Amino acid sequence: MVAAVEHLIDAGRIKLYCVDSFDAGTWSAAHLSLEERARSHAGYESWLLDAVVPHIRAGTGDADIVTAGCSLGAFHALNLAFRRADLFPQALCFSGNYGPGVWNGWGERGDAFYFNSPVDYVANLHGDHLDWLRSRLSLLLVCGQGQWEDTTGALDSTRQMAALLADKSIPHELDVWGPDVPHDWPSWRAQLAHHLPRFC
């Protein structure tokens, strides 16, 4: 992924920060209930906000931070943008599934889960907060139609999220690539290289 946009880095147009996830202890931890996974995710999000953001700010100043991710990373990018649009007003999301309730989920679904499930909370956004999000957010949803985009639920979820965003008049773009584009790294490298130059 880095090599796909290396020319933008070398030209000084972007600074790229590659942050690992903690999915094995949160959303991919099938032994935990969905609510427990969401509670565990809160610790990861706190680390991003308390440690990673200050590190980025030290190298970039007050410039807006764009989140980007593929597959489960796309969920993280979108969710973080919604939860902290003050810091992350743009998200580039490739082949995401935005409904964690379908990820081998079981158990209770309380507030921690709800406020980390974009397919749930976006549908209920309203009032001043929705108006602010409309003025602040810019979201890109990209997905192929090839192998594994159906079995991962990414294609359906991407289209569902785009419909929710359209219903709420939240600025976004949906870009669906062809049936020859699978849920895989070569696709995401091509998609990132195609889209990122317009954002920097």
Side-chain angles (χ1 to χ4, degrees):
M1 294 297 281
V2 174
V5 294
E6 187 174 11
H7 63 290
L8 300 176
I9 299 169
D10 291 344
R13 292 175 60 183
I14 62 166
K15 279 192 171 186
L16 196 63
Y17 294 82
C18 301
V19 182
D20 205 351
S21 69
F22 183 54
D23 295 330
T26 59
W27 297 109
S28 296
H31 66 285
L32 298 177
S33 72
L34 287 169
E35 186 70 3
E36 290 174 293
R37 293 182 213 182
R39 287 186 196 128
S40 295
H41 172 77
Y44 172 71
E45 186 176 286
S46 292
W47 172 73
L48 289 175
L49 299 175
D50 297 340
V52 177
V53 169
H55 175 72
I56 293 173
R57 288 279 185 248
T60 63
D62 292 331
D64 288 333
I65 303 170
V66 177
T67 62
C70 310
S71 195
L72 190 50
F75 160 80
H76 286 299
L78 183 83
N79 192 42
L80 194 57
F82 267 109
R83 290 173 57 82
R84 291 304 304 267
D86 57 319
L87 298 173
F88 310 100
Q90 291 182 311
L92 312 182
C93 309
F94 304 93
S95 300
N97 188 319
Y98 308 102
V102 301
W103 304 342
N104 298 315
W106 61 275
E108 64 174 315
R109 299 181 186 200
D111 285 349
F113 170 80
Y114 174 83
F115 288 107
N116 281 287
S117 180
V119 297
D120 291 311
Y121 66 69
V122 169
N124 294 313
L125 291 171
H126 64 279
D128 291 342
H129 185 64
L130 175 57
D131 290 339
W132 179 74
L133 289 172
R134 287 173 177 148
S135 71
R136 182 73 177 151
L137 283 179
S138 177
L139 307 171
L140 173 67
L141 305 179
V142 183
C143 196
Q145 298 178 75
Q147 189 176 25
W148 306 304
E149 294 288 34
D150 54 352
T151 56
T152 60
L155 182 56
D156 288 344
S157 189
T158 297
R159 287 178 167 151
Q160 178 188 12
M161 181 52 57
L164 286 170
L165 296 172
D167 184 60
K168 295 295 180 178
S169 299
I170 296 171
H172 70 285
E173 178 182 347
L174 172 64
D175 184 18
V176 177
W177 291 37
D180 57 333
V181 181
H183 187 96
D184 203 358
W185 290 105
S187 306
W188 302 326
R189 285 193 288 270
Q191 291 163 349
L192 182 66
H194 174 75
H195 282 288
L196 189 58
R198 14 188 218 108
F199 293 93
C200 58

